[in-house]
């Protein structure tokens, strides 16, 4: 976030107990802010992929990722380890 938007995020809440029965108000606000910023980052990075003509390649890589995981879970060798 700092790189793309100049935002310095307060990370102290990140290291609190997120498995607790209830989250603190500070944790909730951190999570909401994180999600809002991630949507902006997603839009920004998608725009950069489009500008560079890489959006289709990125989509293909994302689609292959689940196939790669399934192959590995079934004991197949990594197709890229040649």
């Amino acid at each position: 976030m700092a790189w793309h938007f100049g935002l310095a995020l307060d990370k102290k809440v990140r290291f609190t107990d997120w498995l607790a029965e209830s989250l603190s108000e500070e944790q909730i606000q951190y999570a909401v802010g994180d999600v809002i910023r991630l949507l902006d980052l997603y839009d920004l990075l998608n725009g950069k992929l489009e500008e560079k003509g890489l959006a289709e390649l990125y989509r293909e890589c994302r689609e292959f990722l689940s196939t790669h995981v399934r192959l590995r879970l079934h004991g197949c060798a990594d197709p890229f380890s040649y």
Side-chain angles (χ1 to χ4, degrees):
M1 293 299 173
W3 180 269
H4 294 291
F5 300 111
L7 297 173
L9 303 177
D10 183 2
K11 298 290 184 182
K12 71 179 180 184
V13 177
R14 190 173 113 187
F15 300 107
T16 57
D17 183 6
W18 288 87
L19 298 176
E21 191 170 315
S22 61
L23 298 177
S24 70
E25 183 62 31
E26 193 174 26
Q27 287 173 310
I28 292 169
Q29 291 305 315
Y30 177 86
V32 168
D34 204 30
V35 169
I36 291 170
R37 290 181 192 105
L38 287 176
L39 292 173
D40 291 338
L41 182 61
Y42 178 82
D43 290 340
L44 176 80
L45 295 177
N46 270 328
K48 289 185 178 206
L49 287 169
E50 290 286 344
E51 288 172 12
K52 295 178 185 244
L54 297 173
E56 180 62 21
L57 178 60
Y58 172 70
R59 186 190 62 74
E60 290 172 9
C61 289
R62 272 193 3 239
E63 287 178 1
F64 177 71
L65 184 57
S66 63
T67 301
H68 187 215
V69 169
R70 286 197 328 262
L71 286 169
R72 297 305 306 264
L73 289 173
H74 284 85
C76 299
D78 183 346
F80 300 108
S81 64
Y82 47 89

